[in-house]
Amino acid sequence: MASDSSTETPERHGRVRARRAAVMAVPAALAAAGLAVLTAEGALGVQFAISGMPFTVTATELRGTGFEQFGALDNMAPGSPNEGDTGGQVLVVTSVIKNATLTKLCQSVDLGGTNLLITAGSGAQKVTATDLTTDSTELSGDAAFDNIEIGNDASTLTKGGVQGPKGVFSQQADTVHIANLRQTNYATTAGVFKLPGLKLRFSDSGC
């Protein structure tokens, strides 16, 4: 038992260090698309242990004011059965929107053979959220920003109400508009989240 522990610990620590280093990097392709903003662990965002189970979020349209985006490391509960070879950490891109409106919101999580499906905002009333943060490993859609600033020091962000550590790359904009939004998320938080027409059910398919 002692021999196994001594061989596994350096590998896990090495993976964690690599993820911390990756947080400081800026992928060129994403930066060119105006979507890559990575910061370090410790920025305000998710402050709870994530389950480690990703979930899908889609919306036909997202409109928001007070937009920021940066990277972070989300942590699972110690000994989580979902940690696999990750060391219990997931490298994510955190998007912050001070005030958001979403049309035809869909959220689903694969529970292993069936999906827990949530839909809202399909009628005249749209989903609204304040102080919305999402931690994603994938994000796609047709995006447009007003007065975007790319390359800010994360500690100087002002438009979404969240600041990160000094010396870390980030971006912010006055407004964001994303059509055909699709995200793979590990966590979402909001100060207020209003979901008109909410429906929760099990389904054979996800969003």
Side-chain angles (χ1 to χ4, degrees), residues 180-192:
N180 303 314
L181 172 69
R182 187 174 188 87
Q183 295 176 303
T184 300
N185 292 347
Y186 277 85
T188 297
T189 65
V192 176

Side-chain angles (χ1 to χ4, degrees), residues 85-109:
D85 64 352
T86 66
Q89 292 185 318
V90 179
L91 179 63
V92 296
V93 176
T94 297
S95 300
V96 178
I97 303 177
K98 191 65 177 176
N99 296 285
T101 300
L102 301 100
T103 303
K104 295 184 178 179
L105 176 69
C106 178
Q107 176 180 301
S108 64
V109 57

Side-chain angles (χ1 to χ4, degrees), residues 8-41:
E8 290 177 1
T9 300
E11 295 176 2
R12 175 167 293 183
H13 287 173
R15 287 193 294 267
V16 171
R17 284 195 295 270
R19 290 188 185 89
R20 292 180 189 274
V23 166
M24 303 297 293
V26 184
L30 288 178
L35 292 177
V37 236
L38 299 182
T39 188
E41 181 182 16

Side-chain angles (χ1 to χ4, degrees), residues 8-73:
E8 290 177 1
T9 300
E11 295 176 2
R12 175 167 293 183
H13 287 173
R15 287 193 294 267
V16 171
R17 284 195 295 270
R19 290 188 185 89
R20 292 180 189 274
V23 166
M24 303 297 293
V26 184
L30 288 178
L35 292 177
V37 236
L38 299 182
T39 188
E41 181 182 16
L44 180 64
V46 173
Q47 296 184 357
F48 53 81
I50 62 170
S51 70
M53 297 177 65
F55 55 96
T56 299
V57 174
T58 65
T60 57
E61 184 180 53
L62 178 150
R63 290 186 178 274
T65 59
F67 172 79
E68 298 173 358
Q69 202 173 58
F70 50 84
L73 288 170

